[in-house]
Amino acid sequence: RQIQYNPLDFYGFKVNWYGFEMDMFSVNKNPPFVSYYIALITGIFGWSEPAIHFFFLIPALGLSLGTYFLARSICSLPHLAAILTVFSPVFLVSSASVMSDTTMLAFYVWAIFLWLEGLKKESFPHLFLSAIFIALSTLTKYFGATLIPLLLVFTLVEKKFDYRLCILFIPELFIVGYEWLTYSLYDQSLISDAAAYAAGSWVRPEQFLDKTLTGLSFTGGCLLGITFFAPILWSRRTLLIMSAVLLILSFSVLLSVNTIGGVQLYDELESSGFKSGMRWGLIFQLTLFISAGMHILILSATDLMKNRDATSILLFLWIMGAFIFSSYINWTTSARNIFPMLPVAAILVIRRINYSNEESNTAIPRNAIWPLLPAVLISILVTWADVSLANSQRSAANTIYAKLKNYQYPVKFQGHWGVQYYM
């Protein structure tokens, strides 16, 4: 609404987020590209939820197509990589929202694809368009800026020093320009402010184990569809040994800690130090998710050890960088922070299938169809649960209004996100 009123002063208003009014630029730690997109949609179609959600299918479609084309350039079975990307819990949940993550990642994947194609074909238009997509990704969410060092390392390994690296100055100019603009508007450079905010939450030594377990659990849960492909990615002997080691290690570590991510793993701690009422259901679930998360990191490491080329380094740094950022650097670990790992994880699965698949490289192997079924089912169930939770906030607001619309005193409420919007 502020952009529609004054498009050049996007954060020039107050917001009550912490219980008192503050400047929006002090609260929001994301750049405004998606807000401009929503302002455009609602300027044409009005503030209709179905219309807004419909137009957010465009970046979701862009991400799925970008994954397809990127996979096609570095492995076979790109259609399977795209399907596995779409039918993952983190994709469907993130794409059902109107937040910035899916749009940022769509630009992110297309930027990598265009850069790889530009170097391969020595095409300046491809590289220039990639630089524009890097800038758009960064102005959608600051994580997009990680494309600059990522593609820099890839290019140095692939081509050594190449004059085309100078094209990466284009998104840097956008970043510097955005910093200058926000400082001019608000006496505060917002990218630097977001970096300082994140730095205040960096992991301390005593938090390292807890942050690692939380990050691995989110990785394994958000990308759960990857786990169902494990039986066709490894030999039976390797799979049995790796599964046993990961499950035993995860289970043992969980039994040795009291909490994970602030969640207590037992009901009470007796004076003797004995834990009573162990929450075995939670521990079992976390064991599976943490093991699944480690499996994804192992996939990236084994791909690097097998190929040792620029592409494998790119994939390894992409997935490890996203994991480190979401687990140790960002102020919170959540599904949308894990989201950037999804396309590369799907591609790593396909590359692993390529190693042992003796059938046609254009058809999905028969044994790769069965793992898709539980991946699809779980993703749909998780998304249904998430949508139900979101809808409950609208229902709550409607119920409160129906009961209190004639109340004689002002009604105050406490809450954020959906409930704040609907109230």
Side-chain angles (χ1 to χ4, degrees), residues 15 26 44 54 57 69 197 212 218 226 229 299 342 374 386 403 405:
V15 63
S26 298
I44 299 172
F54 176 81
L57 292 177
F69 284 106
Y197 184 84
T212 301
F218 267 88
I226 305 295
F229 283 82
L299 270 179
L342 175 58
D386 188 68
K403 288 182 176 294
K405 61 182 177 181

Side-chain angles (χ1 to χ4, degrees), residues 316-333:
F316 177 79
L317 292 178
W318 181 354
I319 205 163
M320 293 302 298
F323 176 79
I324 291 171
F325 173 81
S326 61
S327 301
Y328 306 117
I329 298 176
N330 198 45
W331 52 84
T332 181
T333 302

Side-chain angles (χ1 to χ4, degrees), residues 149-220:
L150 186 65
L151 294 178
L152 173 64
V153 171
F154 172 81
T155 307
L156 290 175
V157 174
E158 179 77 4
K159 298 280 189 179
K160 304 304 180 185
F161 183 80
D162 192 288
Y163 73 93
R164 286 176 284 256
L165 284 172
C166 296
I167 297 174
L168 290 176
F169 281 112
I170 294 174
E172 292 182 11
L173 290 175
F174 275 88
I175 293 172
V176 171
Y178 179 75
E179 285 278 79
W180 172 83
L181 174 64
T182 55
Y183 186 81
S184 300
L185 289 172
Y186 311 119
D187 292 325
Q188 190 169 302
S189 300
L190 296 190
I191 297 180
S192 303
D193 176 65
Y197 184 84
S201 304
W202 283 9
V203 62
R204 298 187 295 273
E206 64 272 16
Q207 297 177 309
F208 182 79
L209 178 59
D210 183 72
K211 292 283 190 179
T212 301
L213 294 175
T214 303
L216 288 172
S217 179
F218 267 88
T219 300

Side-chain angles (χ1 to χ4, degrees), residues 57-336:
L57 292 177
I58 295 175
L61 178 62
L63 173 55
S64 59
L65 289 174
T67 302
Y68 171 84
F69 284 106
L70 178 59
R72 191 176 69 172
S73 68
I74 57 180
C75 61
S76 65
L77 306 177
H79 41 312
L80 181 56
I83 292 171
L84 184 54
T85 296
V86 170
F87 288 106
S88 292
V90 68
F91 180 95
L92 293 182
V93 169
S94 298
S95 299
S97 77
V98 295
M99 295 183 71
S100 58
D101 309 280
T102 304
T103 306
M104 180 278 293
L105 190 54
F107 286 135
Y108 199 99
V109 171
W110 276 101
I112 294 176
F113 167 71
L114 290 168
W115 189 266
L116 268 58
E117 289 294 296
L119 290 181
K120 186 186 305 181
K121 299 176 180 178
E122 299 188 350
S123 167
F124 177 81
H126 279 81
L127 295 173
F128 178 78
L129 190 56
S130 173
I132 298 301
F133 274 40
I134 295 172
L136 290 174
S137 182
T138 304
L139 295 177
T140 304
K141 197 168 185 178
Y142 298 131
F143 183 85
T146 61
L147 280 164
I148 298 174
L150 186 65
L151 294 178
L152 173 64
V153 171
F154 172 81
T155 307
L156 290 175
V157 174
E158 179 77 4
K159 298 280 189 179
K160 304 304 180 185
F161 183 80
D162 192 288
Y163 73 93
R164 286 176 284 256
L165 284 172
C166 296
I167 297 174
L168 290 176
F169 281 112
I170 294 174
E172 292 182 11
L173 290 175
F174 275 88
I175 293 172
V176 171
Y178 179 75
E179 285 278 79
W180 172 83
L181 174 64
T182 55
Y183 186 81
S184 300
L185 289 172
Y186 311 119
D187 292 325
Q188 190 169 302
S189 300
L190 296 190
I191 297 180
S192 303
D193 176 65
Y197 184 84
S201 304
W202 283 9
V203 62
R204 298 187 295 273
E206 64 272 16
Q207 297 177 309
F208 182 79
L209 178 59
D210 183 72
K211 292 283 190 179
T212 301
L213 294 175
T214 303
L216 288 172
S217 179
F218 267 88
T219 300
C222 293
L223 312 181
L224 193 60
I226 305 295
T227 305
F228 296 111
F229 283 82
I232 66 173
L233 302 181
W234 311 94
S235 67
R236 184 176 300 178
R237 183 171 182 271
T238 301
L239 179 63
L240 288 174
I241 294 174
M242 183 170 61
S243 299
V245 170
L246 293 182
L247 289 170
I248 292 172
L249 178 61
S250 302
F251 186 73
S252 301
V253 172
L254 286 172
L255 289 182
S256 69
V257 300
N258 296 328
T259 62
I260 173 173
V263 177
Q264 198 159 284
L265 300 181
Y266 54 89
D267 290 334
E268 59 179 287
L269 186 65
E270 298 178 359
S271 58
S272 61
F274 180 76
K275 303 172 186 176
S276 62
M278 296 295 293
R279 303 173 66 183
W280 294 112
L282 177 60
I283 291 173
F284 175 73
Q285 177 175 298
L286 288 171
T287 298
L288 293 180
F289 285 176
I290 291 169
S291 300
M294 287 192 285
H295 172 243
I296 291 170
L297 300 187
I298 290 171
L299 270 179
S300 67
T302 54
D303 183 86
L304 176 62
M305 290 187 291
K306 182 174 182 64
N307 293 284
R308 298 185 182 183
D309 58 10
T311 300
S312 61
I313 291 174
L314 170 72
L315 299 177
F316 177 79
L317 292 178
W318 181 354
I319 205 163
M320 293 302 298
F323 176 79
I324 291 171
F325 173 81
S326 61
S327 301
Y328 306 117
I329 298 176
N330 198 45
W331 52 84
T332 181
T333 302
S334 64
R336 50 200 174 95

Side-chain angles (χ1 to χ4, degrees), residues 358-406:
E358 297 178 357
E359 298 181 16
S360 169
N361 285 334
T362 60
I364 297 179
R366 289 187 295 273
N367 62 351
I369 296 176
W370 294 108
L372 280 175
L373 300 180
V376 169
L377 176 62
I378 289 177
S379 299
I380 291 175
L381 289 174
V382 169
T383 307
W384 172 80
D386 188 68
V387 170
S388 299
L389 177 62
N391 285 337
S392 71
Q393 300 184 59
R394 185 198 294 112
S395 300
N398 290 335
T399 300
I400 293 168
Y401 173 74
K403 288 182 176 294
L404 299 177
K405 61 182 177 181
N406 297 320

